[in-house]
């Protein structure tokens, strides 16, 4: 038996004001996108904004459904929209923010496991990392240089 140690390096910003200007602007777009969430069941609104190599910005927000599993998270809404609209353009960054209509979300809200899996597919496809930033409504922002930092032991096409 040999132990396998997995490490990830993330960066924590104390507030969005500490972010580089372009990421602050993308975060503002994600905040606006968050309001388009359709979340009557969870009352939890998530917004995502993606910037592409051609400088286009694609947004997403969570879209819920009375048949709960038919709903979709903000991150997948955004990345699938980017894939549909700009199939061959590299994704540079995705920025995510969440707020609740029930309480203030002050801790960073990371993408769920299913969204990490969906995002990493595009990282593998483009063979370049996607920078990822996530926060709550206020407070700290966490940055990952690659989706793989949030998804070690990734299942991808090399496993098939
Ligand atoms: N949600 C997202 O949009 N992104 C995530 O990564 C986590 C969860 C949404 C799904 C659902 O509409 C609501 O937040 C509560 O789980």
């Amino acid at each position: 038996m040999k132990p396998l140690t997995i490490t990830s390096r993330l960066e924590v910003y104390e507030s969005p004001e500490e972010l580089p200007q372009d990421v602050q602007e993308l975060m503002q777009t994600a905040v606006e996108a968050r309001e388009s969430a359709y979340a009557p069941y969870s009352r939890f609104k998530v917004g995502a904004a993606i910037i592409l190599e051609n400088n286009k910005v694609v947004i997403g927000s969570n879209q819920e459904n009375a048949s709960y599993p038919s709903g979709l998270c903000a991150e997948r809404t955004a990345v699938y929209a980017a894939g549909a609209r700009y199939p061959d353009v590299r994704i540079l960054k995705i920025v995510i923010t969440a707020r609740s209509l029930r309480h203030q979300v002050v801790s960073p809200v990371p993408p769920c496991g299913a969204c990490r899996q969906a995002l990493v597919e595009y990282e593998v496809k483009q063979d370049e990392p996607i920078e990822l930033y996530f926060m709550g409504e206020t407070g700290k922002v966490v940055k990952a240089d690659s989706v793989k930092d949030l998804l070690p032991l990734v299942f991808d096409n090399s496993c098939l």
Side-chain angles (χ1 to χ4, degrees), residues 39 42 44 46 62-64 72-75 109-112 115:
S42 71
F44 192 76
V46 186
N62 53 325
Q63 301 295 318
E64 297 184 351
L72 197 66
C73 292
E75 298 89 327
V109 175
C112 77
C115 286

Side-chain angles (χ1 to χ4, degrees), residues 13 18 21 25 50 53 68 72 95 97 101 105 113 129 133-134 136 141 147-148 150 156:
Y13 296 79
E18 268 189 17
Q21 189 58 37
E25 284 167 22
I50 285 174
E53 200 165 30
Y68 291 3
L72 197 66
V95 169
T97 174
L101 302 180
V105 179
Y133 296 79
F134 55 90
V141 183
V147 180
K148 285 181 182 161
L150 298 181
D156 63 13

Side-chain angles (χ1 to χ4, degrees), residues 32-48 59-78 80-81 115:
E32 286 159 23
R34 201 176 63 192
E35 291 318 295
S36 70
Y38 173 59
Y41 305 106
S42 71
R43 319 274 293 161
F44 192 76
K45 294 183 151 211
V46 186
I59 59 114
S61 58
N62 53 325
Q63 301 295 318
E64 297 184 351
N65 193 283
S67 172
Y68 291 3
S70 297
L72 197 66
C73 292
E75 298 89 327
R76 273 176 285 167
T77 306
Y80 293 155
C115 286

Side-chain angles (χ1 to χ4, degrees), residues 70-136:
S70 297
L72 197 66
C73 292
E75 298 89 327
R76 273 176 285 167
T77 306
V79 80
Y80 293 155
R85 179 72 182 83
Y86 302 105
D88 300 317
V89 184
R90 187 186 154 195
I91 297 172
L92 299 179
K93 300 173 193 182
I94 180 166
V95 169
I96 304 153
T97 174
R99 82 176 177 100
S100 169
L101 302 180
R102 301 181 205 276
H103 62 270
Q104 226 202 1
V105 179
V106 293
S107 299
V109 175
C112 77
C115 286
R116 295 177 202 197
Q117 182 68 32
L119 290 167
V120 88
E121 182 74 23
Y122 292 86
E123 215 174 67
V124 170
K125 177 183 171 224
Q126 67 185 23
D127 199 22
E128 296 278 0
I130 300 172
E131 269 180 35
L132 197 143
Y133 296 79
F134 55 90
M135 68 175 295

